[in-house]
Amino acid sequence: MLKFFTAILCLMATGLSIGLGQTIPAAGDVAKTEDRLVANVRDFGAKGDGKNDDTEAIEKAWAFVMDTHKPEFHSGWSAVNTTLYFPQGVYLYTGKGLVSPATDYAQTWDVKGDGFDSTKIVIKSDAYFITCGRVQSTVIEGISFDGGKGIFKSTWKGNMVGEKHIFRDCYFFGYTECAIGNHAEDSPYLAVSDCIFHCHDGAEAIGIAWGG
């Protein structure tokens, strides 16, 4: 049975490995908005052509996002304040998933594309695209995701009260377990808008499973 769900609104990272001949942007070379650094995956070597494997580039960009020693664009007591940006294109990912440390400090980061009809990430591995610990706030928007177990999974089991966790203008397609989920005992500020959920055909999957 076709599982199809459209969500209009619900309740409310440098230890980089560098290959021969590759140049990884330093913090000063990365674009900045008013209060954030922006890690463009193309600056780390991603092609986004739907043919080349972009896993290495995506994981290097993520390592930059998770690096807490780059210039301190801190927001309050959060330790990471960087946007992972996917420009228009189709990106192939075959890795074990992007993981942030399960630490006591709260992180804040965004993952953004140019719209779900312009930016697509194909997850060709049996993994969650992002697995994180305690996160103060998250914005994932403007991307079409295809495949994997799911897109966002937080393993933090304690209090995760902070700012909002926002998912908007996204297409979650072909996941086999759960597109968006967490294990927090208290995480009340979830906002989902203009998103489409369509699990892998035949999978007993869930679109959103949010604790707290």
Side-chain angles (χ1 to χ4, degrees):
M1 179 179 181
L2 182 65
K3 296 184 173 122
F4 185 85
F5 172 64
T6 302
I8 301 301
L9 181 64
C10 289
L11 178 64
M12 327 225 40
T14 301
L16 299 176
S17 59
I18 303 176
L20 184 63
Q22 292 179 305
T23 301
I24 300 302
D29 299 327
V30 175
K32 303 173 184 177
T33 62
E34 182 177 349
D35 62 347
R36 302 183 72 84
L37 294 172
V38 179
N40 185 327
V41 294
R42 289 188 181 268
D43 291 338
F44 291 81
K47 301 297 184 183
D49 58 6
K51 299 177 182 179
N52 288 278
D53 190 340
D54 294 311
T55 301
E56 184 178 2
I58 292 171
E59 291 185 347
K60 286 178 178 177
W62 180 252
F64 179 84
V65 172
M66 289 291 105
D67 178 21
T68 58
H69 299 292
K70 59 183 182 290
E72 296 183 355
F73 282 73
H74 291 193
S75 174
W77 43 275
S78 58
V80 181
N81 198 357
T82 308
T83 295
L84 180 63
Y85 172 53
F86 292 82
Q88 180 178 357
V90 179
Y91 301 86
L92 303 185
Y93 182 78
T94 60
K96 297 181 179 180
L98 309 179
V99 179
S100 70
T103 60
D104 287 336
Y105 65 74
Q107 308 163 39
T108 172
W109 37 261
D110 299 346
V111 180
K112 296 185 177 182
D114 287 337
F116 81 85
D117 56 347
S118 297
T119 299
K120 182 177 183 179
I121 300 174
V122 180
I123 307 164
K124 302 177 73 67
S125 55
D126 189 28
Y128 278 89
F129 187 60
I130 296 175
T131 301
C132 61
R134 186 180 182 184
V135 180
Q136 180 178 349
S137 68
T138 305
V139 177
I140 297 180
E141 67 175 340
I143 302 176
S144 176
F145 298 93
D146 185 356
K149 288 184 176 180
I151 308 310
F152 175 89
K153 177 183 178 181
S154 172
T155 59
W156 188 261
K157 295 182 179 180
N159 185 309
M160 207 165 75
V161 177
E163 300 176 20
K164 291 181 180 179
H165 301 278
I166 300 172
F167 302 83
R168 59 189 172 211
D169 187 30
C170 290
Y171 187 0
F172 303 100
F173 181 83
Y175 54 91
T176 58
E177 288 189 359
C178 180
I180 301 169
N182 79 1
H183 294 269
E185 65 180 17
D186 193 2
S187 180
Y189 306 122
L190 171 67
V192 181
S193 62
D194 299 320
C195 292
I196 298 172
F197 294 78
H198 182 170
C199 73
H200 183 75
D201 289 346
E204 295 184 0
I206 301 172
I208 302 172
W210 200 262

